[in-house]
Structure formats: structure tokens, C-alpha cells
Amino acid sequence: MKGEQWASIQDLTIAASPQLAKLDDNLAFTVGFKLMGGIRRNFVRPLWEKAYDEHDLGLRMAYRVDLSKQRVKVLPGSELKREKFVRRGVFFWTRNPELPYRVWATIATEFETILYPKTEEEAQTMLFDVTRTFELPASKLGKGHHTLEAKVHAKWGKHVFTERGETAAKTPVLKIDVR
């Protein structure tokens, strides 16, 4: 896949609460992952400044998380929930006396919240570490034993500090019982 050398998805997890549910319960699924590699390593202050000087004012990360139910091998899995969201790292000229730098980054999340990181590591965590929670009624799965997995996908464009790319991965399977 193009851009594979720039990033990979790591620490991919899926969890459900409860794992033994009644038909009228609501299930909560939590999918977590981290985007690691060159794109994360290059999201640092000296390169923010270089990008800002070349009128490249931010990094847009498009994420997608698909929660699906696995079926028999010959049949494709059925998608239960799909969520797309965007996070942005925006570079700006700062006059903040707490920051000794000329250019800094803010992070705009999918919740329309603008975050002001104090360190590069904090900015990287806000932009590249993802935790998503889904709620589904157990009745949507139906009675019985179910095997679920999540597919995650990340995509970004070309910038001063990175090439265009995308990467994807699947979580380990998760078993749920509905009675």
C-alpha cells in the first residue's frame, strides 16, 4: 500500500462491555490504536516551522473505523458500524510567553475541540493516538455466539514533512455471547 513506509498502525485493541450480554442490553465497543512511523516522527517543531515558512499550514488525518461481524469463510462479514472522522494539526505563529518558539501547533479533533499541546509528544499523542467507542443494541447481533473485529484505516496528504499515504489494519477477533 502506498505510504506504508511512512506509517503503521500499532497497539490495536478491541474490547466489549459486557462480553456476556442479554438481548435487551446495550453493548459498548472500544477500539484503540496508535499511528507510528515516519509521519509521527516528522511531526516535530522544526518541521512545523519549515512547513509554515512554505505556506503548508497543517496536517489533515482522515481516519475510518469499521466494526463488523465475521461470518463463515465463504460469506463476507457484515458491517455493524462505520465511523469516519478527521483530526487536524494546524501550525500558527505564536506569541505565547510559555513557548519559546516562533511556530507551534494546535490540534483540532473530530469533536470540534481545539487542543493546545505544551510539548511535541503531547501534540503527537493528540493527533495519532485514537480511541473510539461504539454503542450497539445486543438485539442487532441476535442470540448466540458472535465473532467481531474492527478494521482501522488512516489517510493523509503530501506535506513538507511527509509524502501522501495511507495504512490499514485489523484488530484481533473479539467473541461476544448474547442470550
Side-chain angles (χ1 to χ4, degrees):
M1 203 176 268
K2 189 175 180 191
E4 206 61 55
Q5 73 276 11
W6 280 101
S8 66
I9 294 172
Q10 295 180 4
D11 299 336
L12 191 54
T13 60
I14 185 170
S17 177
Q19 281 194 275
L20 180 56
K22 294 182 181 127
L23 201 55
D24 58 346
D25 285 347
N26 272 338
L27 296 169
F29 296 97
T30 304
V31 178
F33 63 94
K34 294 180 180 184
L35 195 61
M36 303 300 277
I39 192 161
R40 189 180 190 117
R41 280 191 307 275
N42 286 357
F43 196 72
V44 291
R45 192 204 50 80
L47 293 174
W48 299 343
E49 200 163 308
K50 183 178 180 188
Y52 185 88
D53 289 343
E54 294 185 27
H55 306 289
D56 183 358
L57 302 179
L59 172 63
R60 179 182 182 271
M61 295 297 305
Y63 293 105
R64 186 179 76 227
V65 178
D66 299 327
L67 185 64
S68 59
K69 180 177 166 182
Q70 286 186 333
R71 293 202 174 149
V72 182
K73 296 293 180 203
V74 293
L75 295 173
S78 64
E79 188 174 288
L80 296 171
K81 196 91 165 177
R82 170 176 276 191
E83 195 167 303
K84 295 179 180 180
F85 55 99
V86 172
R87 291 187 181 173
R88 289 183 172 84
V90 180
F91 311 130
F92 69 99
W93 184 280
T94 181
R95 290 186 178 82
N96 184 341
E98 295 175 27
L99 300 171
Y101 311 112
R102 173 176 86 93
V103 174
W104 199 249
T106 60
I107 308 299
T109 68
E110 62 275 16
F111 306 112
E112 299 178 12
T113 305
I114 297 178
L115 306 171
Y116 295 94
K118 296 283 186 217
T119 65
E120 291 173 359
E121 293 79 21
E122 192 177 2
Q124 292 167 351
T125 297
M126 291 172 179
L127 192 59
F128 301 118
D129 293 2
V130 177
T131 301
R132 302 303 288 180
T133 302
F134 303 94
E135 282 198 21
L136 284 175
S139 57
K140 187 167 183 174
L141 292 175
K143 284 188 175 186
H145 305 293
H146 304 283
T147 305
L148 295 116
E149 70 179 357
K151 295 176 187 153
V152 297
H153 185 263
K155 190 174 182 179
W156 60 93
K158 181 175 175 25
H159 293 277
V160 169
F161 49 86
T162 184
E163 294 296 319
R164 177 196 330 238
E166 59 186 278
T167 187
K170 286 183 186 177
T171 63
V173 296
L174 175 69
K175 298 199 183 287
I176 300 282
D177 283 329
V178 179
R179 295 181 184 197

